[in-house]
Amino acid sequence: MAARRAGQLALLVKVLTSLGISASSLVMDIADEKSVQEAAAAVEKQFGKLDVLINDAARLAAGDLVETQSIDEIRQVFDTNVIGTWNVTQKFIPLLRKSDHGRIVDVSSGAGSFGDPQYGFLNGALGIPCSGYGLSKLAVNGLTLKTAKELQSAKILVNAVCPDITDTQGAGMGRPVSENAKGVVWAATLPDDGPSGRFFRNGMELPW
Ligand SMILES: NC(=O)c1ccc[n+]([C@@H]2O[C@H](COP(=O)([O-])OP(=O)(O)OC[C@H]3O[C@@H](n4cnc5c(N)ncnc54)[C@H](OP(=O)(O)O)[C@@H]3O)[C@@H](O)[C@H]2O)c1
């Protein structure tokens, strides 16, 4: 596991270890190129390769109307969601190439889709504008497709997954993480002849 907060990571490793799951962690800020480079070097030193990369970290933008959104906040959202995801993908590709079954899952959102009937651009996104966030996820979806095509010959499968509305913060909105993580795990453990360069929610294909 990788995240910015060492204390939180240590706690999560402890929880997983107590459940009998082998886990280790490293600190990584995806918006900081040096931090990602160091994280990739640490994984290479400890494991020599990477089988699965799940790009989950993201930033939501408050308000998010085209007319009123703070430009500084839009920059930060794109810096994390798009450039950060690109940065991590780029630095870990050499390690994924060393795996026999490399997989990349970009955790995206239906808010970054044109055609998603629930949350897409053409369908209202539940009445929430999601402009900066949605546009950043639209770019993430494009990045997924470009990466998938580039890594096709290396047989690395690259897909985008919308986890659906998830109660990450325990606020009672959406399904629990344990339910919505299943679609992400599904894409992370696809068989070698599985799809690549596609967009899914709960294992069902979504329109771009
Ligand atoms: N929750 C939903 O309903 C929903 C719906 C559709 C898609 N998604 C997508 O699912 C993913 C997970 O969402 P979530 O609900 O878990 O979001 P969240 O609760 O806001 O968590 C986002 C995580 O990203 C981390 N992060 C942000 N910037 C980072 C950086 N520069 N470097 C490293 N980590 C960074 C945050 O770390 P800190 O704790 O250090 O801030 C936080 O742990 C996201 O990609 C999101 O867009 C979520």
Side-chain angles (χ1 to χ4, degrees), residues 150-162:
E150 217 171 292
L151 298 182
Q152 198 172 12
S153 58
K155 298 188 170 27
I156 297 170
L157 306 181
V158 187
N159 291 289
V161 169
C162 170

Side-chain angles (χ1 to χ4, degrees), residues 2-5 28-32 55-60 80-81 107-110 133 137 162-169 173:
R4 293 189 286 198
R5 291 183 286 156
M28 178 170 80
D29 180 337
I30 69 164
D32 177 343
N55 283 315
D56 177 69
R59 243 186 118 105
L60 205 66
T80 302
N81 300 7
V107 181
S108 184
S109 169
Y133 173 77
K137 292 297 187 177
C162 170
D164 212 338
I165 302 291
T166 311
D167 191 18
T168 319
Q169 310 293 340
M173 201 180 101

Side-chain angles (χ1 to χ4, degrees), residues 108-123 137-138 141 145 160 162 197-201 204-208:
S108 184
S109 169
S113 158
F114 278 105
D116 176 4
Q118 271 173 288
Y119 314 120
F121 276 60
L122 303 176
N123 301 293
K137 292 297 187 177
L138 182 71
N141 288 348
L145 198 45
C162 170
R198 313 259 280 272
F199 185 26
F200 298 96
R201 181 188 297 129
M204 309 284 284
E205 188 151 13
L206 282 176
W208 293 111

Side-chain angles (χ1 to χ4, degrees), residues 84-178:
T85 301
W86 192 328
N87 184 18
V88 176
T89 299
Q90 183 181 81
K91 304 298 182 289
F92 281 90
I93 282 175
L95 293 179
L96 286 155
R97 284 189 188 277
K98 293 183 182 171
S99 168
D100 292 330
H101 311 277
R103 308 282 181 265
I104 299 177
V105 184
D106 291 331
V107 181
S108 184
S109 169
S113 158
F114 278 105
D116 176 4
Q118 271 173 288
Y119 314 120
F121 276 60
L122 303 176
N123 301 293
L126 297 177
I128 305 163
C130 275
S131 306
Y133 173 77
L135 282 165
S136 76
K137 292 297 187 177
L138 182 71
V140 166
N141 288 348
L143 179 67
T144 304
L145 198 45
K146 289 285 183 191
T147 313
K149 288 192 182 297
E150 217 171 292
L151 298 182
Q152 198 172 12
S153 58
K155 298 188 170 27
I156 297 170
L157 306 181
V158 187
N159 291 289
V161 169
C162 170
D164 212 338
I165 302 291
T166 311
D167 191 18
T168 319
Q169 310 293 340
M173 201 180 101
R175 295 191 305 172
V177 174
S178 53

Side-chain angles (χ1 to χ4, degrees), residues 173-192:
M173 201 180 101
R175 295 191 305 172
V177 174
S178 53
E179 271 307 306
N180 286 0
K182 285 178 188 167
V184 177
V185 173
W186 172 82
T189 54
L190 285 169
D192 289 344

